Amino acid sequence: MTTSNFARAAMAALLGAALSGAAHAEIKNYEFRLVQPTVQAGADRIVTVRLVDKTTGNAVPDAVVFANRLDMAPDGMQEMATKVTPMPSTEPGTYRFKATFGMAGRWQLSLGAKVQGETGTVDNKLVITAEK
């Protein structure tokens, strides 16, 4: 292999590695944010989150969002879990869930999302404070 062929091959390998790494890292540009970090303790409370592209600050509409779990892990009570039900969205890029917050304290909402055009899953854990 001549020096120029070797240089081309090395450049192609580096470019391929950079492109595959960039595509893999793009899912990390997304995160969930709570619209309101507190709720009143009780039944049928609505929690609204926004899925945001961190590079632009824009909300991301039309993602497939799922709530995995809502529990009191931040207060050391992982066994205190409750059902989470998806609700219709009121604006693009926001996602709503209904849940019962059985007691005051800190609750952890575990969320996942598939973003159109991206590979991988956005995974976040958000802490919501339930007040009396």
Side-chain angles (χ1 to χ4, degrees):
M1 180 179 266
T2 67
T3 304
S4 67
N5 285 344
F6 179 75
R8 282 189 203 122
M11 190 61 118
L14 287 172
L15 181 60
L19 289 175
S20 66
H24 181 67
E26 287 179 19
I27 199 70
K28 294 181 180 192
N29 290 336
Y30 300 93
E31 72 178 0
F32 286 102
R33 296 180 184 163
L34 288 167
V35 171
Q36 180 68 32
T38 60
V39 297
Q40 291 296 311
D44 298 333
R45 302 300 184 212
I46 302 295
V47 175
T48 305
V49 298
R50 183 171 285 117
L51 181 58
V52 177
D53 180 340
K54 295 186 290 187
T55 61
T56 64
N58 294 334
V60 179
D62 302 324
V64 177
V65 177
F66 44 94
N68 291 335
R69 185 172 171 86
L70 179 63
D71 61 37
M72 292 192 77
D75 286 344
M77 295 184 278
Q78 296 85 343
E79 68 282 353
M80 185 74 152
T82 189
K83 181 180 174 184
V84 181
T85 305
M87 300 295 293
S89 178
T90 56
E91 63 183 82
T94 63
Y95 303 89
R96 298 173 32 169
F97 302 94
K98 180 171 65 172
T100 297
F101 291 83
M103 63 186 289
R106 295 179 299 155
W107 293 77
Q108 179 174 277
L109 178 62
S110 300
L111 295 170
K114 293 289 188 180
V115 177
Q116 292 183 12
E118 300 292 349
T119 302
T121 302
V122 178
D123 288 310
N124 286 138
K125 296 181 186 311
L126 304 173
V127 176
I128 304 159
T129 302
E131 301 175 336
K132 291 182 183 185

